Amino acid sequence: MSAAPLPVLWLYGPPAVGKSTVAWELFTQLSRRMPTGYVDLDQLGMCYAQPRPDNWAPEPASDPGRHRRQARNLNLVAANVRAAGARCLVASGVVDAVRGIDVDLLPHLALTPCRLRVEPYELRQRLAGRGRAGDAAADQVLEYADALDRNHPTGLCVDTTGRTVTDVLKLVLAETGGWPTLTGTGAATAADPAGPYPRYPAGPGEILWLCGATGVGKSTVGWEIYTTVSNAGRRAAFVDLDQIGFYRPAGVQSPRNHPLRASNLAAVWQTYRATGLRRMIVVGPVGDDEAVRTYREALPSVRITLCRLHAGRDSLTERILLRGQGQGPLIAGDDLKGRPAARLRQVADEATAEAEALEAATLGDLRVDTDGRPVPDIAGEVLRRIRWLD
């Protein structure tokens, strides 16, 4: 008997409406009482068309916005999270303003879509806080929000104007009837044993995986490599392992679930490779060769080059303190932003010990020192050593 579809709540709406923030708060609350997953749809679509001289990341003509690609990946990730034992999955992300959600691509989901909206004047204020007010990008967001209001007048909808995250979440739960309702058809069974995870026909290609201790600069350097490769006219994709591996069993803080992350990475690779992709930049932590082997087994035809970034105590401490002050990318689950200095210094001590352990284990195919070096210089060394731009 096949498994029942996984209950999935998809919060959608324009940028700055609060999708990720509200979804993360719901994920945090639910995971205290049941195994729950979370995914930001943006993280399932960082794969663009062939670069052009005037645009390093054009949208594919066959899938503007990459919405269908994200939906396919969400369907696969939901199956993996279900295999891990999750009873529900929270998702957040934009949708096509006219077509909406491509439900035909989501057979593994018992889907509950809920739109978040905000009045234009407040949306512009929120975008100003992101440094986007008054420019073309802000105008495009406002046009997109207006299109959603016009084209999706029915269905579940919560107005976030003037409301706190707590207030919005209460309204979302009220609108959805206290989601998730885990009885009847479409309900996941309780606490399924983890795995076996689905296997994906991962075709050949190359993955550059940047690993290292907390604060070493994995995401920053990885994104620099991604944009450099794309600007050079080479097609690639980008995946953050943390962002495709959010899953917490009830009552505990889940450790890194490498089997789940490896299966999700293989699923995303399969979807991207179907578009002709052959290279991917991956960032994320790994502690030993056994964990690395989990990924190689999930992607047996892919050449994975593990590049370990290294930094000393002073550099790690400085970077972690800056992360605590809000510097760095706006991503879900950043557990350093806003933390007190004492806690950040404790994290820095832990990161230093982690870096020293990785150094002693000589983990990785490459080692690159990042102390006192600008990001483009670090990215340049990595690219020279793997010879992707030759």
Side-chain angles (χ1 to χ4, degrees):
M1 182 176 179
S2 60
L6 184 72
V8 175
L9 175 64
W10 185 338
L11 297 179
Y12 70 97
V17 77
K19 304 181 297 297
S20 299
T21 305
V22 175
W24 183 262
E25 180 61 25
L26 177 58
F27 164 66
T28 301
Q29 293 186 19
L30 285 173
S31 63
R32 294 178 183 137
R33 55 188 176 89
M34 68 178 73
T36 306
Y38 167 74
V39 65
D40 183 333
L41 271 293
D42 285 345
Q43 301 293 331
L44 299 182
M46 292 186 183
C47 177
Y48 298 86
Q50 187 69 29
R52 302 192 307 262
D54 63 330
N55 188 348
W56 69 270
E59 298 289 355
S62 61
D63 186 15
R66 294 157 289 120
H67 299 300
R68 293 184 67 81
R69 191 172 302 165
Q70 291 174 353
R72 289 188 178 94
N73 281 333
L74 175 62
N75 186 62
L76 299 176
V77 167
N80 292 339
V81 172
R82 175 83 171 67
R87 300 191 66 191
C88 60
L89 173 68
V90 183
S92 59
V94 299
V95 304
D96 187 283
V98 176
R99 193 174 65 244
I101 295 174
D102 296 293
V103 294
D104 60 306
L105 301 177
L106 304 169
H108 292 158
L109 279 59
L111 184 66
T112 301
C114 182
R115 180 165 66 95
L116 302 185
R117 71 170 307 278
V118 62
E119 289 297 325
Y121 72 89
E122 186 166 320
L123 180 56
R124 189 173 287 277
Q125 291 174 349
R126 296 184 188 183
L127 292 169
R130 294 183 171 189
R132 299 177 66 176
D135 60 16
D139 292 338
Q140 290 173 2
V141 171
L142 289 165
E143 290 174 5
Y144 173 75
D146 181 63
L148 286 177
D149 282 342
R150 292 195 317 271
N151 297 322
H152 302 272
T154 61
L156 302 180
C157 181
V158 171
D159 196 313
T160 70
T161 307
R163 293 190 167 111
T164 66
V165 173
T166 300
D167 291 338
V168 172
L169 181 52
K170 288 180 180 178
L171 290 173
V172 167
L173 292 175
E175 284 290 322
T176 60
W179 186 92
T181 53
L182 300 178
T183 58
T185 58
T189 57
D192 292 343
Y197 293 99
R199 301 289 294 184
Y200 299 98
E206 295 181 83
I207 287 179
L208 169 65
W209 179 359
L210 300 180
C211 68
T214 301
V216 77
K218 299 182 290 293
S219 297
T220 305
V221 174
W223 188 256
E224 180 72 18
I225 291 173
Y226 174 52
T227 56
T228 301
V229 169
S230 296
N231 283 330
R234 315 295 175 85
R235 188 158 177 250
F238 181 88
V239 171
D240 184 328
L241 290 176
D242 282 339
Q243 295 295 311
I244 64 169
F246 289 125
Y247 169 71
R248 293 179 183 173
V252 300
Q253 174 67 39
S254 175
R256 294 173 181 136
N257 190 332
H258 289 299
L260 172 61
R261 293 182 180 194
S263 188
N264 283 342
L265 183 62
V268 172
W269 174 263
Q270 171 191 266
T271 302
Y272 289 170
R273 196 181 181 285
T275 71
L277 184 84
R278 295 296 183 272
R279 284 176 172 173
M280 178 185 286
I281 294 96
V282 172
V283 299
V286 66
D288 52 50
D289 289 325
E290 182 178 354
V292 176
R293 193 175 305 115
T294 300
Y295 294 85
R296 297 192 192 278
E297 290 174 353
L299 294 151
S301 300
V302 181
R303 178 185 175 186
I304 299 177
T305 300
L306 186 65
C307 177
R308 177 170 53 88
L309 303 181
H310 179 75
R313 177 183 295 274
D314 291 345
S315 293
L316 292 173
T317 301
E318 179 184 7
R319 294 167 189 172
I320 288 170
L321 289 174
L322 290 174
R323 282 267 301 278
Q325 296 169 13
Q327 295 192 25
L330 295 173
I331 56 175
D334 187 346
D335 55 2
L336 297 181
K337 183 178 179 180
R339 291 297 185 96
R343 172 55 186 155
L344 293 173
R345 292 189 180 280
Q346 181 182 0
V347 172
D349 289 340
E350 295 167 355
T352 301
E354 180 184 5
E356 291 172 351
L358 293 173
E359 189 83 337
T362 64
L363 184 73
D365 305 302
L366 304 175
R367 176 197 181 278
V368 174
D369 202 310
T370 68
D371 279 321
R373 300 175 66 185
V375 171
D377 184 44
I378 301 167
E381 178 183 341
V382 175
L383 285 170
R384 284 191 299 273
R385 294 177 68 178
I386 64 173
R387 305 185 68 173
W388 273 16
L389 298 184
D390 287 356

